[in-house]
Amino acid sequence: MSHTAQSDGHPRRGRAPTMADVAQLAGVSHQTVSRVLSHHPNVRDTTRAEVQRAIEQLGYRRNSSARALVTRRTLTLGVVACNPTLFGPASTLFGLEEAARDEGYMVSAVTLRRYTAKALEEAIDHLSDWGVEGIVVIVPHREAVAALAELRLPFPVVTVEGGHSLPIAGVSVDQELGARLATGHLLGAGHRTVWHVAGPPDWLEAEARVNGWRSTLEEAGVEVPPPLVGDWTPLSGYRAGQELAGRVAAGAARRSSEQVTAVFVANDQMALGLMRAFREAGLSVPGQVAIAGFDDIPEAEFFAPPLTTVRQDFAAVGQASIRLLVSRLESGQTGSDGERVVIEPRLIVRRSSTSS
Amino acid sequence: MSHTAQSDGHPRRGRAPTMADVAQLAGVSHQTVSRVLSHHPNVRDTTRAEVQRAIEQLGYRRNSSARALVTRRTLTLGVVACNPTLFGPASTLFGLEEAARDEGYMVSAVTLRRYTAKALEEAIDHLSDWGVEGIVVIVPHREAVAALAELRLPFPVVTVEGGHSLPIAGVSVDQELGARLATGHLLGAGHRTVWHVAGPPDWLEAEARVNGWRSTLEEAGVEVPPPLVGDWTPLSGYRAGQELAGRVAAGAARRSSEQVTAVFVANDQMALGLMRAFREAGLSVPGQVAIAGFDDIPEAEFFAPPLTTVRQDFAAVGQASIRLLVSRLESGQTGSDGERVVIEPRLIVRRSSTSS
DNA sequence: CCGCCCATTGTTAGCGCTCACAGCCCCCAC
DNA sequence: GTGGGGGCTGTGAGCGCTAACAATGGGCGG
């Protein structure tokens, strides 16, 4: 009659069956059930089959909390992502989840609307509360990575696009190389110089792209125009485009270095806004101004005109970050050495930059 | 000397501190520590403060597995999402995560590259293995929802865009209304009829948009052209655009009902592809053909020309799905009644459909 | 035929926490 | 003075599982 009584061989009603229920039904001990479930070799085939049948009959599922409690493994990884509706972070996240699942881990994500040190800490706290074994941080702000380095967390952390200045393990695409590819391509098409619309200065990716662009121009010995600054949104690209369009109009009367004939935009969305501004100003792309973007979002190929851009393999980034994290988990190192994986981007040439 | 010895008042090295460690340091029982942590009112302020100090000194965190084991609450929700790099699913997912976090839950996601019954079941299995208390399914295939209805899971399930034919709780945007808004808008601008580029026929959203489009035309008493079919990608929109452009060219010589002067495209990405095809065919938008899309992705405003489209509040969908799920969790119902939340879409008129 | 080894199975002791309940002390009413 | 009802704290049990060890039985070499 007590709520723990179950002498009738049926599991307690209203409660999920336990290993003991399965054991009783199969006529073995709970430990044998455990052994079957963990594929222990020393179980007789007939026993194994009986246990399996009991499991199916009861619809038994191992209780993950009990298991985690005793094994001290939650098999859960955390992800902190910022701006995750953008194509890049979203793709990374999903590549990552798939890779984690293949490795036997579950992924729990926390998203940040905007980066602030407090929001980042809260996100990590939230994940810690749920017992993640390690986390991937996709928050490519300079300060975020610095804050992370301070935190000294009790589990491994891997950053995505976290730069290389701090001793934190991470995965990144070679942004500087990407910028060099795009800038070099435009220069190679005969443009005197290449203008740049940068991302927000506190984003490491934005900075790296500026560096790649600038150094390419400097190595080519051409003048480096002042970069404009956007915030990754099409609207900010549009504004930058309006400003540049004004310069083109005025340019004819000025010295040649002020001519705007080629622009490297730090992402595809801003490039889209830029092209709209140029269109409205009556400037033809690529006729009067050649443009290159960054990311290769699925839409880029269908822009007017199709956009030359730098493709990043976001899914590979996600996979690599999981590999890095899992290898640390398995080797038991939580320390922050600066092990890094770098993935090469690729230039995709389309009509927006070709004068033909 | 034994590894469980801890008579020196220090927590066992190499192991996270437990409640007992905190209790010992604070000079209270573990139960008092538990009470402090769960904000039980009957704890003296001075005691509470001492416990807090001990907690901070040790860097103690409550073990979520142990807690989940005894409370039978994992406070974790699962999400299954398909195609999650698209703007819609991604936004829904992140609105959902935020809402879940506010409610005190963690979200674990599993993504599907493509829908298959097997993949869906595996995803749900994976989530069950980790002890989720309920799941949100963002897989708007007809079969997926049907498969879900068969499954009879031991926890509540909420669908997003799961249609209304099955008795499963869900949240959706009124797709049919959205289609009616767009179609009606085009009709109202004086077009004889409106063509349609639909999404994949096994997607419920695609079907609903077709229905809304068709019924609007029928009610207006105009002819219903055969819908073209795409797969949501810009490329498929491009192909549809090429086909329609061919008709326009031929149209002048045919009967007027074959004239293509307005197209309602089932999403913005396909509309982008369509516009590229029209541009390449020398057709002007909106001059010769007016276009409306669906979703209002952030880029739509900057397309050439800016795209008239139907805005869906994805974040609201995510929030609503969590509210629905949590309310079922709290009322303890796992049954599948068909409770539904419907969110109204909104027409955003831009240049692609305005003749001015 | 005996002893030993190994394959197979069972038994026991926790993992770290919360719940139920049992104490204790102090204050107030009678 | 005594009983009783709070407020506050401690004790014990047990959530469902795995790890370590114990026990059993059969096969095989000596």
Side-chain angles (χ1 to χ4, degrees), chain B residues 19 30-31 34 60 62-63 66-67 70:
Chain B
M19 223 168 229
H30 65 123
Q31 178 60 3
S34 174
Y60 170 74
R62 200 152 44 168
N63 179 313
R67 191 170 150 74
V70 64

Side-chain angles (χ1 to χ4, degrees), chain A residues 319-351:
Chain A
Q319 281 161 31
S321 67
I322 288 299
R323 268 200 297 277
L324 201 53
L325 188 55
V326 168
S327 79
R328 295 176 158 244
L329 243 32
E330 286 174 354
S331 69
Q333 53 181 312
T334 72
S336 306
D337 62 51
E339 187 179 355
R340 306 203 63 76
V341 174
V342 175
I343 292 175
E344 294 222 340
R346 201 176 121 208
L347 181 71
I348 307 290
V349 177
R350 301 206 181 93
R351 285 228 307 120

Side-chain angles (χ1 to χ4, degrees), chain A residues 19 30 34 60 62 67 70:
Chain A
M19 222 167 230
H30 64 124
S34 174
Y60 170 75
R62 204 151 43 167
R67 191 169 149 75
V70 64

Side-chain angles (χ1 to χ4, degrees), chain B residues 49-66:
Chain B
E50 262 171 81
V51 170
Q52 288 290 11
R53 205 159 46 80
I55 287 174
E56 270 153 44
Q57 186 175 330
L58 294 176
Y60 170 74
R61 303 197 81 109
R62 200 152 44 168
N63 179 313
S64 60
S65 303

